[in-house]
Amino acid sequence: MDRDNREGMEQAIRGAEGLLELGLFTEAEAVFRQLAQEAPEHYRVWLGLARLRSRNFTQPDPNAQGLLERAASFAMTVDEYNDLKATVGSYAKLPPFAHGVQAPDRMPDVEQLEKLHPISVPVSSQEAVLEAREAARLKYLKCLLLIVVVIGLPTAFIVSCSNGVNPITNALLSDSQQEVPPPTTHPATTEAATEPEPEGCPYAEPTDTVKPGAEGEDVKWIQWHLVRQGAELEITGAFDEDTRQAVQAFQSDRDMKADGIVGEETREKLGE
């Protein structure tokens, strides 16, 4: 990605984060879903999706943990990891600095890691709220045009008002949401990740342990039950990275060992 594209992407991410700060979750979702296609390696894209699902970490969501773990896996420096922990606060526990395992020469010092504590910024007055909204409004105004050009969203018209900013019209937002696909790292398959039918799972329950890399009906059974539990997955029959992370999030949510392997205990919990 050349320098201009990188700068444009950063502007787009900041614009989407501004929408989250304003509480414009519907508008932010369309932008972040497109960003997940354009810049899947950027940790702030997955952090933004986690903020979106949890309404800025104010509501529990079973998929937010998996999104945060993915964000941590893409943090390339200690500063980025520190920024991630500061944003998440006490909402969820993040895994260790990922690149310390993948690239030992980039692993931070133990003393540095011990200093990475979550922080929170309390808002205690109406003045602070107004200042935050003004800062987010300016980000939105500056970045919306770049989002349209770089990301390829439909043309947006901005109408300024004395008491704030009016975002894209409802009709335009509706069009953009229909055109933007959900975040995924592989092509769409013929089986859509829709909510399971009430009649029950159409796939046979596995009888043995199923591990990442497996394929077939056993994996479809696992993916079907993960979707039923709220995971955003496509039922492909391939135990890929997305499926492993969804299994880990499911195990972590139920106080099980989050190893991404579907053994007897995990299978029983999925079938409940």
Side-chain angles (χ1 to χ4, degrees), residues 81-89 117-120:
Y81 186 77
N82 187 35
D83 174 68
L84 179 61
K85 289 183 69 70
T87 304
V88 173
H117 299 299
I119 62 173
S120 59

Side-chain angles (χ1 to χ4, degrees), residues 1 13 25 56 115 146 175 177-178 221 233 246 254 270:
M1 184 181 294
I13 292 173
F25 299 110
N56 277 329
K115 295 177 182 179
L146 282 173
D175 291 341
Q177 291 167 356
Q178 291 174 3
W221 184 91
L233 282 176
R254 286 156 180 78
L270 281 171

Side-chain angles (χ1 to χ4, degrees), residues 5-224:
N5 285 341
R6 287 198 302 270
E7 292 178 354
M9 192 65 64
E10 287 290 331
Q11 291 283 354
I13 292 173
R14 286 195 293 271
E17 289 171 341
L19 294 175
L20 287 177
E21 292 172 12
L22 285 171
L24 302 174
F25 299 110
T26 301
E27 295 87 334
E29 182 176 10
V31 180
F32 272 116
R33 285 187 181 276
Q34 184 69 19
L35 284 168
Q37 298 294 315
E38 299 290 336
E41 75 286 352
H42 204 305
Y43 81 98
R44 280 166 56 199
V45 172
W46 303 105
L47 172 60
L49 287 170
R51 289 179 60 185
L52 180 68
R53 293 298 302 267
S54 62
R55 293 299 187 261
N56 277 329
F57 305 125
T58 61
Q59 298 178 13
D61 186 274
N63 291 318
Q65 177 66 32
L67 292 168
L68 289 171
E69 290 176 357
R70 176 170 289 191
S73 72
F74 284 117
M76 299 300 294
T77 65
V78 176
D79 288 341
E80 289 182 354
Y81 186 77
N82 187 35
D83 174 68
L84 179 61
K85 289 183 69 70
T87 304
V88 173
S90 59
Y91 182 82
K93 182 179 179 180
L94 294 177
F97 187 74
H99 290 281
V101 176
Q102 297 175 8
D105 58 319
R106 303 183 65 175
M107 185 168 62
D109 295 336
V110 175
E111 293 182 358
Q112 288 179 297
L113 286 177
E114 290 177 349
K115 295 177 182 179
L116 300 180
H117 299 299
I119 62 173
S120 59
V121 182
V123 179
S124 58
S125 67
Q126 185 64 27
E127 180 179 359
V129 174
L130 293 175
E131 289 177 356
R133 286 187 173 273
E134 178 63 14
R137 185 181 73 87
L138 291 175
K139 289 182 180 179
Y140 178 78
L141 289 172
K142 292 177 180 178
C143 298
L144 185 56
L145 183 58
L146 282 173
I147 293 174
V148 173
V149 174
V150 176
I151 307 303
L153 297 177
T155 304
F157 298 92
I158 302 175
V159 181
S160 298
C161 294
S162 59
N163 61 345
V165 59
N166 288 327
I168 309 171
T169 62
N170 291 334
L172 180 58
L173 287 173
S174 176
D175 291 341
S176 67
Q177 291 167 356
Q178 291 174 3
E179 294 174 4
V180 177
T184 180
T185 57
H186 51 77
T189 64
T190 56
E191 297 187 55
T194 57
E195 184 175 350
E197 296 295 332
E199 290 80 5
C201 182
Y203 310 107
E205 181 176 349
T207 57
D208 296 322
T209 299
V210 184
K211 300 180 179 181
E215 295 183 353
E217 295 292 305
D218 289 351
V219 179
K220 289 184 178 181
W221 184 91
I222 294 168
Q223 292 171 330
W224 188 94

